[in-house]
Amino acid sequence: MQTRAPDPLSVTVRMFTQRFSSTRKGARLARLLTLHQLDEWGIAYDCETSDRAAAIIAELAANAATHGRVAGRDFEVSLRLGEAQLRIEVADARSERRPAAPAVPGRPESETGRGLLVVEVLADRWGVCGRSGPGKTVWAECDLPGAGPACCRQSVQAGESAGGAGLGCQEEESASGSQKGTPWP
């Protein structure tokens, strides 16, 4: 019996998509399931990549549940792990409420208004795009250190860059362009 050698140009991209109720409990579950999925892919809990992803997903999911909520509609989380990047997307049903570029909160004692600042600091790139149905998708990308996260129990398989249009995006607007801090047009 003859076996075929693996194709050297084959690409492995790991993807995960899940819908959650637009509630605080749904946002918490999105963060926990993201961490579990990353651990399944070899990115260990409590490493830099995992911690960054947890904070980003927590902020984007909380925003979707709070500001993007439409009664009876869920929000959706999608992850794509390539060779060099982790892309996180959170889609909700409110297309008219696109996030503005983050600004420093007016009152330092305020308990709200810092979510996108956290995303801006932790993500290498982030932005917003439309989706095929009603709503919008807010996305963030984290570059993986070296050939994959140093905290992985196993190296990440060869994959493609998560750049370009994402899983649920039709057109893409970058909040940070190719560098952090560039405001939206």
Side-chain angles (χ1 to χ4, degrees):
M1 183 159 142
Q2 199 172 33
T3 59
R4 209 169 105 176
D7 182 5
L9 299 177
S10 67
V11 175
T12 300
V13 176
R14 296 176 176 149
M15 296 191 309
F16 169 82
T17 300
Q18 180 70 48
R19 289 185 180 215
F20 300 93
S21 63
S22 292
T23 62
R24 290 187 310 193
K25 196 177 253 185
R28 179 177 179 272
L29 184 59
R31 181 182 58 81
L32 293 172
L33 262 136
T34 294
L35 289 174
H36 178 73
Q37 185 61 52
L38 291 176
D39 185 59
E40 288 290 317
W41 287 341
I43 299 175
Y45 292 103
D46 295 329
C47 72
E48 180 187 350
T49 302
S50 179
D51 290 345
R52 286 173 64 194
I56 291 168
I57 198 74
E59 295 300 337
L60 295 182
N63 284 352
T66 304
H67 306 294
R69 183 174 189 191
V70 172
R73 296 284 182 106
D74 296 333
F75 70 92
E76 183 177 88
V77 171
S78 297
L79 306 173
R80 183 165 68 178
L81 179 65
E83 179 180 312
Q85 289 177 319
L86 170 66
R87 183 177 175 105
I88 300 167
E89 295 183 358
V90 178
D92 63 49
R94 301 281 305 258
S95 56
E96 75 279 4
R97 295 193 72 184
R98 288 184 175 233
V104 178
R107 298 185 343 229
E109 68 276 3
S110 176
E111 293 183 15
T112 62
R114 292 180 181 85
L116 291 178
L117 285 171
V118 170
V119 173
E120 175 79 14
V121 168
L122 294 175
D124 294 301
R125 287 161 301 285
W126 73 277
V128 64
C129 58
R131 44 187 300 211
S132 58
K136 67 183 169 305
T137 299
V138 181
W139 56 269
E141 293 179 342
C142 296
D143 295 333
L144 301 177
C151 57
C152 289
R153 287 188 303 273
Q154 61 191 34
S155 64
V156 177
Q157 297 294 319
E160 67 181 22
S161 168
L167 302 171
C169 292
Q170 288 184 325
E171 80 285 346
E172 200 165 285
E173 298 172 23
S174 176
S176 56
S178 59
Q179 298 182 11
K180 293 187 201 176
T182 306
W184 290 355

